């Protein structure tokens, strides 16, 4: 008892957070019950994009990015059509071309979808989304070999689509994203969204590696990000 | 040539012009039916597409074109009557075999723009809903 008490006293607040995070990681993602969410998102709209993101520009061509992403159902007000997503992405120079894969919620009946956005040319593909609270592994591969470089898109290991559209990738990214201050970033104070396990990337001629750059946000007063090392929990501090 | 004989053809020309202007106005007001190239359809894993209005080319299926259009309108929550319907072979995802399907094309749509920070928004001029011709189930949606 004495030893236990001494140990308990020695546990700092930081350690408690780490213990809590470890327990959460062990338990897996928490399913948010329908209608249990309350958000204080204010009364104004601004149509501005905000991200919790990892964005890396490596010295050699990135040919793959993948992450195990928690399916979450955020509050989306549909003030604009741009929606809310969690996704992986391979982008070209100048961000005029890219391929993006993940889940999105936007104003098709306020519904969540699995989606690919391929630019330039505005190619979009949508499939019914997987259940809230489950994990989905999203992966984009780039085959750079001539004469026909192409991208392949995988959802939980199934090849969903292939195509040559996009731009020669120079950046890999993993993100949670909203497009209006009045929309909820995935996650809330009680039920996190995020990435479980290490998000990974692959460079041309290499093998899969853990992304070491950390996820961050320019809006820490609005959004939380917790590094599970590996993985991240993300949430909107305005929602419980 | 009397004045009357000269005026009759003039009136006819005027009528023709009026009809032409009217027709042009009508065409401008009505939404244009969407079209899509075979290459773009291939991107969405759709091949062998034929216009459903060409009865000679359409294969009979448990779900007909009209029912597929109704399902597609429900998926998008859009009441559009001016849709283009194609019958085709389509894959739900690339790792599954192709099935007989209906592709219902709507004008425009509300495309989101995720993308990297700082990227510009790209307009979408068409939304397509792919419906399984055997079961009526939603296979996928695309925008272009």
């Amino acid at each position: 008892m004495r030893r236990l008490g001494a140990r308990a006293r020695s546990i700092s607040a930081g350690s408690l957070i780490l213990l809590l995070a470890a327990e959460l990681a062990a338990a897996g993602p928490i399913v948010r019950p329908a209608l249990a969410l309350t958000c204080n998102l204010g009364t104004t709209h601004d149509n501005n994009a905000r991200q919790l993101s990892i964005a890396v520009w490596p010295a050699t061509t990135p040919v793959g990015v993948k992450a195990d992403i928690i399916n979450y159902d955020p509050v989306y007000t549909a003030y604009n059509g741009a929606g809310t997503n969690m996704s992986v992405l391979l982008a070209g120079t100048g961000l005029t071309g890219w391929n993006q894969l993940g889940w999105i919620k936007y104003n098709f009946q306020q519904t969540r979808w699995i989606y690919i956005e391929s630019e330039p040319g505005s190619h979009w593909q949508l499939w019914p989304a997987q259940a809230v609270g489950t994990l989905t592994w999203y992966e984009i591969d780039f085959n750079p070999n001539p004469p026909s470089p192409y991208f392949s898109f995988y959802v939980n290991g199934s090849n969903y689509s292939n195509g040559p559209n996009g731009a020669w990738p120079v950046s890999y990214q993993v993100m949670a994203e909203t497009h209006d201050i009045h929309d909820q970033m995935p996650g809330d104070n009680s039920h996190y969204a995020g990435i479980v396990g290490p998000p990974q990337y692959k460079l041309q001629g290499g093998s899969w590696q853990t992304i070491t750059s950390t996820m961050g946000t320019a809006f820490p007063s609005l959004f939380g990000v917790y590094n599970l090392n590996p993985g991240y929990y993300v949430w909107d501090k305005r929602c419980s | 040539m009397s004045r009357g004989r000269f005026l009759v053809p003039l009136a006819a020309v005027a009528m023709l012009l009026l009809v032409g202007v009217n027709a042009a106005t009508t065409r401008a007001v009505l939404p244009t039916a969407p079209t899509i190239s075979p290459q773009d359809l291939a991107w969405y894993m759709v091949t062998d597409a034929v216009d459903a209005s060409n009865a000679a080319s359409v294969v009979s299926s448990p779900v007909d074109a009209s029912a597929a259009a109704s399902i597609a309108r429900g998926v998008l929550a859009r009441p559009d009557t001016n849709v283009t319907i194609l019958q085709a072979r389509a894959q739900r995802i690339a790792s599954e075999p192709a099935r007989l399907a209906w592709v219902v094309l709507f004008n425009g749509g509300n495309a989101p723009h995720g993308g990297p920070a700082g990227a510009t928004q790209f307009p979408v001029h068409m939304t397509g809903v792919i419906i399984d011709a055997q079961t009526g189930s939603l296979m996928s949606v695309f925008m272009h």
Side-chain angles (χ1 to χ4, degrees):
Chain A
M1 284 294 289
R2 186 165 177 265
R3 287 181 62 195
L4 182 61
R7 186 179 171 200
R9 278 194 300 275
S10 72
I11 293 176
S12 66
S15 303
L16 279 172
I17 290 172
L18 285 174
L19 281 171
L20 176 63
E23 291 227 352
L24 288 170
I30 302 166
V31 177
R32 177 169 65 75
L35 305 177
L37 186 69
T38 55
C39 287
N40 180 17
L41 300 174
T43 56
T44 58
H45 298 273
D46 66 357
N47 285 316
N48 284 333
R50 293 175 173 82
Q51 291 91 13
L52 290 151
S53 65
I54 304 168
V56 181
W57 281 259
T60 30
T61 300
V63 294
V65 61
K66 62 183 179 182
D68 224 359
I69 293 175
I70 298 172
N71 284 287
Y72 185 89
D73 187 12
V75 171
Y76 172 60
T77 59
Y79 184 72
N80 61 39
T84 297
N85 73 75
M86 286 199 72
S87 55
V88 297
L89 182 151
L90 289 175
T93 303
L95 303 179
T96 55
W98 71 87
N99 278 289
Q100 187 169 14
L101 170 70
W103 65 254
I104 191 166
K105 183 174 184 179
Y106 74 116
N107 55 5
F108 274 2
Q109 301 172 308
Q110 292 270 318
T111 305
R112 297 173 64 254
W113 300 83
I114 295 167
Y115 83 111
I116 292 171
E117 181 185 6
S118 184
E119 305 291 355
S122 208
H123 291 272
W124 288 80
Q125 286 178 276
L126 305 168
W127 296 266
Q130 279 154 335
V132 171
T134 61
L135 280 174
T136 302
W137 161 31
Y138 295 103
E139 175 182 337
I140 305 175
D141 291 349
F142 175 57
N143 177 352
N145 298 322
S148 302
Y150 65 94
F151 295 85
S152 294
F153 303 85
Y154 295 88
V155 178
N156 279 341
S158 291
N159 180 208
Y160 265 46
S161 189
N162 304 292
N165 196 62
W168 191 273
V170 297
S171 171
Y172 59 84
Q173 303 188 19
V174 180
M175 70 177 71
E177 183 178 40
T178 60
H179 292 84
D180 187 18
I181 188 73
H182 205 51
D183 290 335
Q184 180 198 358
M185 186 65 75
D188 60 77
N189 286 312
S190 307
H191 311 90
Y192 303 123
I195 296 156
V196 174
Q200 295 179 64
Y201 72 100
K202 187 165 59 174
L203 300 180
Q204 188 169 6
S207 55
W208 287 104
Q209 299 180 60
T210 296
I211 298 175
T212 54
S213 299
T214 53
M215 180 172 270
T217 181
F219 310 94
S221 64
L222 296 175
F223 313 128
V225 55
Y226 183 83
N227 190 344
L228 291 164
N229 202 16
Y232 298 89
Y233 282 139
V234 300
W235 68 100
D236 192 315
K237 293 179 177 178
R238 303 167 297 171
C239 296
S240 297
Chain B
M1 196 176 192
S2 74
R3 182 182 287 183
R5 289 176 64 191
F6 180 70
L7 283 177
V8 169
L10 259 183
V13 168
M15 285 294 288
L16 280 173
L17 279 174
L18 276 173
V19 169
V21 168
N22 256 345
T25 306
T26 305
R27 278 197 297 273
V29 170
L30 284 174
T32 308
T35 57
I36 187 167
S37 72
Q39 291 87 347
D40 286 327
L41 280 172
W43 168 258
Y44 303 116
M45 298 176 290
V46 173
T47 57
D48 304 327
V50 294
D51 192 326
S53 63
N54 182 359
S57 306
V58 170
V59 177
S60 174
S61 63
V63 177
D64 66 16
S66 153
S70 176
I71 294 166
R73 288 186 187 101
V75 169
L76 301 186
R78 286 176 57 165
D80 307 35
T81 52
N82 189 43
V83 296
T84 298
I85 307 174
L86 309 173
Q87 190 179 57
R89 304 285 299 174
Q91 288 170 275
R92 189 183 73 88
I93 59 178
S95 52
E96 290 184 357
R99 314 173 190 176
L100 187 66
W102 297 105
V103 181
V104 185
L105 301 175
F106 294 74
N107 275 302
N110 293 307
H113 62 118
T120 51
Q121 184 172 9
F122 293 88
V124 168
H125 73 271
M126 167 194 310
T127 302
V129 181
I130 306 176
I131 304 291
D132 187 316
Q134 299 295 326
T135 64
S137 61
L138 171 67
M139 293 174 66
S140 63
V141 175
F142 65 82
M143 292 183 291
H144 184 58

